[in-house]
Coordinates of all heavy atoms in Angstrom, one line a residue:
Chain A
V22 N -11.1 45.9 -121.1 CA -11.4 44.8 -120.4 C -12.1 45.3 -119.1 O -13.1 44.6 -118.7 CB -10.1 44.0 -120.1 CG1 -10.4 42.7 -119.1 CG2 -9.4 43.3 -121.3
L35 N -9.4 41.0 -123.6 CA -8.2 40.5 -122.9 C -7.3 39.8 -123.9 O -6.0 39.9 -124.0 CB -8.6 39.7 -121.8 CG -7.5 39.2 -120.8 CD1 -6.7 40.3 -120.2 CD2 -8.1 38.2 -119.7
V38 N -5.3 42.2 -125.5 CA -4.0 42.5 -124.7 C -3.0 41.5 -124.9 O -1.7 41.9 -125.1 CB -4.6 42.6 -123.3 CG1 -3.3 43.0 -122.5 CG2 -5.6 43.6 -123.1
F39 N -3.3 40.4 -124.9 CA -2.2 39.3 -124.9 C -1.6 39.4 -126.2 O -0.3 39.2 -126.2 CB -2.9 37.8 -124.8 CG -3.4 37.6 -123.5 CD1 -4.5 36.8 -123.2 CD2 -2.8 38.2 -122.3 CE1 -4.9 36.6 -122.0 CE2 -3.3 38.0 -121.0 CZ -4.4 37.1 -120.7
I42 N 0.9 42.2 -126.2 CA 2.0 41.9 -125.3 C 2.9 40.8 -126.0 O 4.2 41.0 -126.1 CB 1.5 41.4 -123.9 CG1 1.0 42.7 -123.2 CG2 2.7 40.8 -123.3 CD1 0.5 42.3 -121.8
N58 N 2.9 32.7 -125.0 CA 2.0 33.6 -124.4 C 0.6 33.4 -125.2 O -0.5 33.3 -124.6 CB 2.5 35.0 -124.6 CG 1.7 36.0 -123.8 OD1 1.2 35.5 -122.7 ND2 1.5 37.3 -124.2
V61 N -0.7 29.7 -124.5 CA -1.1 29.4 -123.2 C -2.2 30.3 -122.8 O -3.4 29.9 -122.4 CB 0.0 29.4 -122.2 CG1 -0.5 29.3 -120.7 CG2 1.0 28.3 -122.4
Y62 N -2.0 31.6 -122.9 CA -3.0 32.6 -122.5 C -4.2 32.6 -123.3 O -5.3 32.2 -123.0 CB -2.3 33.9 -122.2 CG -1.8 34.2 -120.9 CD1 -0.4 34.2 -120.7 CD2 -2.6 34.2 -119.8 CE1 0.1 34.5 -119.4 CE2 -2.1 34.5 -118.6 CZ -0.7 34.6 -118.3 OH -0.5 34.8 -117.0
I66 N -6.0 29.4 -121.7 CA -6.7 30.1 -120.5 C -7.9 30.9 -120.9 O -9.0 30.7 -120.3 CB -5.6 31.1 -119.8 CG1 -4.5 30.2 -119.4 CG2 -6.3 31.8 -118.6 CD1 -3.4 30.9 -118.6
M67 N -7.8 31.6 -122.0 CA -8.9 32.5 -122.4 C -10.1 31.6 -122.8 O -11.2 31.9 -122.6 CB -8.5 33.5 -123.5 CG -7.7 34.6 -122.9 SD -8.7 35.4 -121.5 CE -7.8 35.0 -120.0
F70 N -11.8 30.7 -119.8 CA -12.7 31.6 -119.4 C -13.9 31.7 -120.0 O -15.0 31.7 -119.5 CB -11.9 32.9 -119.5 CG -11.2 33.3 -118.3 CD1 -9.7 33.1 -118.2 CD2 -11.8 34.0 -117.3 CE1 -9.2 33.5 -117.1 CE2 -11.1 34.3 -116.0 CZ -9.7 34.1 -116.0
Chain B
L13 N -0.1 49.1 -117.2 CA -1.0 47.9 -117.4 C -1.4 47.4 -116.0 O -2.4 47.0 -115.6 CB -0.3 46.8 -118.2 CG -0.3 46.9 -119.6 CD1 0.7 45.9 -120.3 CD2 -1.8 46.6 -120.0
F14 N -0.4 47.4 -115.1 CA -0.6 46.8 -113.8 C -1.6 47.7 -113.0 O -2.5 47.2 -112.4 CB 0.8 47.0 -113.1 CG 1.0 46.2 -111.8 CD1 1.0 44.8 -111.8 CD2 1.0 46.8 -110.5 CE1 1.1 44.0 -110.5 CE2 1.1 46.0 -109.3 CZ 1.1 44.6 -109.4
G17 N -5.0 46.8 -114.3 CA -5.4 45.7 -113.6 C -5.8 46.0 -112.1 O -6.9 45.5 -111.8
V21 N -9.6 45.4 -110.8 CA -10.0 44.6 -109.5 C -10.8 45.4 -108.6 O -11.6 44.8 -107.9 CB -8.6 44.1 -108.9 CG1 -8.8 43.7 -107.3 CG2 -7.9 43.0 -109.6
I28 N -15.2 36.8 -112.3 CA -14.4 36.2 -113.6 C -13.6 37.4 -114.1 O -12.5 37.2 -114.4 CB -15.3 35.6 -114.7 CG1 -16.0 34.3 -114.1 CG2 -14.6 35.3 -115.9 CD1 -16.9 33.6 -114.9
T29 N -14.3 38.6 -114.2 CA -13.6 39.8 -114.6 C -12.5 40.1 -113.7 O -11.4 40.5 -114.1 CB -14.6 40.9 -114.8 OG1 -15.8 40.4 -115.0 CG2 -14.0 41.9 -115.7
F30 N -12.8 39.9 -112.4 CA -11.8 40.1 -111.4 C -10.6 39.4 -111.8 O -9.4 39.8 -111.8 CB -12.4 39.7 -110.0 CG -11.7 40.0 -108.8 CD1 -12.1 41.1 -108.0 CD2 -10.4 39.5 -108.4 CE1 -11.5 41.4 -106.7 CE2 -9.8 39.8 -107.3 CZ -10.3 40.7 -106.5
F31 N -10.8 38.2 -112.0 CA -9.7 37.1 -112.3 C -8.9 37.6 -113.6 O -7.7 37.5 -113.7 CB -10.4 35.8 -112.6 CG -9.4 34.7 -111.8 CD1 -9.1 34.8 -110.6 CD2 -9.1 33.5 -112.7 CE1 -8.3 33.9 -110.1 CE2 -8.4 32.6 -112.0 CZ -8.0 32.7 -110.7
M32 N -9.7 38.1 -114.5 CA -9.1 38.5 -115.7 C -8.1 39.7 -115.6 O -7.1 39.8 -116.2 CB -10.1 38.9 -116.8 CG -10.7 37.6 -117.4 SD -11.8 38.1 -118.8 CE -13.3 38.5 -118.2
C33 N -8.6 40.6 -114.6 CA -7.7 41.7 -114.3 C -6.5 41.3 -113.7 O -5.3 41.9 -113.9 CB -8.4 42.8 -113.3 SG -9.8 43.5 -114.2
I34 N -6.5 40.3 -112.9 CA -5.2 39.7 -112.3 C -4.3 39.1 -113.4 O -3.2 39.5 -113.4 CB -5.6 38.7 -111.3 CG1 -6.2 39.4 -110.1 CG2 -4.4 37.9 -110.8 CD1 -6.7 38.5 -109.0
E35 N -5.0 38.6 -114.4 CA -4.2 38.1 -115.6 C -3.6 39.3 -116.2 O -2.4 39.2 -116.7 CB -5.1 37.3 -116.5 CG -5.7 36.1 -116.0 CD -4.6 35.2 -115.5 OE1 -3.5 35.1 -116.0 OE2 -4.9 34.6 -114.5
I36 N -4.3 40.4 -116.4 CA -3.6 41.6 -116.9 C -2.4 42.0 -115.9 O -1.2 42.3 -116.6 CB -4.6 42.9 -117.0 CG1 -5.7 42.5 -117.9 CG2 -3.7 44.0 -117.3 CD1 -6.7 43.5 -118.1
M37 N -2.4 41.9 -114.9 CA -1.4 42.3 -113.9 C -0.3 41.4 -114.1 O 0.9 42.0 -114.2 CB -1.9 42.3 -112.4 CG -2.9 43.5 -112.1 SD -3.6 43.2 -110.5 CE -2.4 43.5 -109.4
L38 N -0.6 40.1 -114.2 CA 0.6 39.2 -114.4 C 1.2 39.4 -115.8 O 2.5 39.4 -115.8 CB 0.0 37.8 -114.5 CG -0.5 37.2 -113.1 CD1 -1.1 35.7 -113.2 CD2 0.4 37.2 -112.0
N39 N 0.4 39.7 -116.8 CA 1.1 40.0 -118.0 C 1.9 41.3 -118.0 O 3.0 41.4 -118.6 CB -0.1 40.2 -119.1 CG -0.3 39.0 -119.7 OD1 0.5 38.4 -120.7 ND2 -1.2 38.2 -119.3
A40 N 1.5 42.2 -117.3 CA 2.4 43.4 -117.0 C 3.7 43.0 -116.4 O 4.9 43.4 -116.9 CB 1.7 44.4 -116.2
V41 N 3.7 42.2 -115.5 CA 4.9 41.6 -114.9 C 5.8 40.9 -115.9 O 7.0 41.2 -116.0 CB 4.6 40.7 -113.6 CG1 5.9 40.2 -113.1 CG2 3.9 41.5 -112.6
N42 N 5.1 40.0 -116.6 CA 5.8 39.3 -117.6 C 6.6 40.2 -118.6 O 7.8 40.1 -118.9 CB 4.8 38.4 -118.5 CG 4.4 37.3 -117.7 OD1 4.9 37.1 -116.5 ND2 3.4 36.5 -118.1
I74 N 6.0 31.9 -114.6 CA 4.7 32.6 -114.3 C 3.5 32.1 -115.1 O 2.3 31.9 -114.6 CB 4.9 34.0 -114.5 CG1 5.9 34.5 -113.5 CG2 3.6 34.8 -114.2 CD1 6.2 36.1 -113.5
M75 N 3.8 31.8 -116.3 CA 2.8 31.4 -117.3 C 2.1 30.1 -116.7 O 1.0 29.8 -116.7 CB 3.1 31.2 -118.5 CG 3.4 32.6 -119.4 SD 4.0 32.5 -121.0 CE 4.2 34.2 -121.4
V77 N 2.3 28.7 -113.8 CA 1.7 29.0 -112.5 C 0.2 29.5 -112.8 O -0.8 29.2 -112.3 CB 2.5 29.8 -111.5 CG1 1.7 30.2 -110.3 CG2 3.7 29.0 -111.1
A78 N 0.3 30.5 -113.6 CA -1.0 31.3 -113.9 C -2.0 30.3 -114.5 O -3.2 30.2 -114.2 CB -0.8 32.4 -114.9
A79 N -1.5 29.5 -115.3 CA -2.3 28.4 -115.8 C -3.1 27.5 -114.8 O -4.2 27.3 -114.7 CB -1.7 27.5 -116.9
A80 N -2.1 27.0 -113.9 CA -2.6 26.2 -112.8 C -3.7 26.9 -112.0 O -4.7 26.5 -111.5 CB -1.5 25.7 -112.0
E81 N -3.3 28.2 -111.7 CA -4.2 29.0 -110.8 C -5.5 29.2 -111.4 O -6.6 29.2 -110.7 CB -3.5 30.3 -110.6 CG -3.7 31.0 -109.3 CD -2.9 32.1 -108.9 OE1 -3.0 33.2 -109.6 OE2 -2.1 32.1 -108.0
V82 N -5.5 29.4 -112.7 CA -6.7 29.8 -113.4 C -7.5 28.5 -113.3 O -8.8 28.6 -113.0 CB -6.5 30.2 -114.9 CG1 -7.7 30.2 -115.6 CG2 -5.9 31.6 -114.8
S83 N -7.0 27.4 -113.5 CA -7.9 26.2 -113.6 C -8.5 25.9 -112.1 O -9.7 25.7 -112.1 CB -7.0 25.0 -114.0 OG -6.0 24.7 -113.0
L86 N -11.1 28.9 -111.6 CA -12.4 28.7 -112.4 C -13.2 27.5 -111.7 O -14.3 27.6 -111.7 CB -12.1 28.4 -113.8 CG -11.6 29.7 -114.6 CD1 -11.2 29.4 -116.1 CD2 -12.6 30.8 -114.5
Chain C
S157 N -4.4 35.5 -105.4 CA -3.8 35.9 -106.6 C -3.4 37.3 -106.9 O -2.5 37.6 -107.5 CB -4.6 35.2 -107.9 OG -6.0 35.5 -107.5
F158 N -4.3 38.1 -106.2 CA -4.0 39.6 -106.3 C -2.5 39.8 -105.7 O -1.6 40.5 -106.2 CB -4.9 40.4 -105.6 CG -4.7 41.9 -105.5 CD1 -4.9 42.7 -106.7 CD2 -4.3 42.4 -104.4 CE1 -4.7 44.0 -106.7 CE2 -4.1 43.7 -104.3 CZ -4.4 44.6 -105.4
A161 N 0.3 38.6 -107.7 CA 0.7 39.6 -108.8 C 1.5 40.8 -108.1 O 2.6 41.2 -108.8 CB -0.6 40.2 -109.4

Side-chain angles (χ1 to χ4, degrees):
Chain A
V22 172
L35 188 57
V38 176
F39 292 148
I42 284 173
N58 200 31
V61 173
Y62 269 111
I66 298 183
M67 282 302 112
F70 268 99
Chain B
L13 274 172
F14 196 74
V21 164
I28 295 176
T29 328
F30 192 110
F31 222 51
M32 285 194 272
C33 294
I34 287 170
E35 295 304 322
I36 296 178
M37 290 163 75
L38 292 182
N39 268 278
V41 174
N42 288 349
I74 292 179
M75 288 176 179
V77 170
E81 210 170 67
V82 164
S83 65
L86 288 176
Chain C
S157 31
F158 178 74

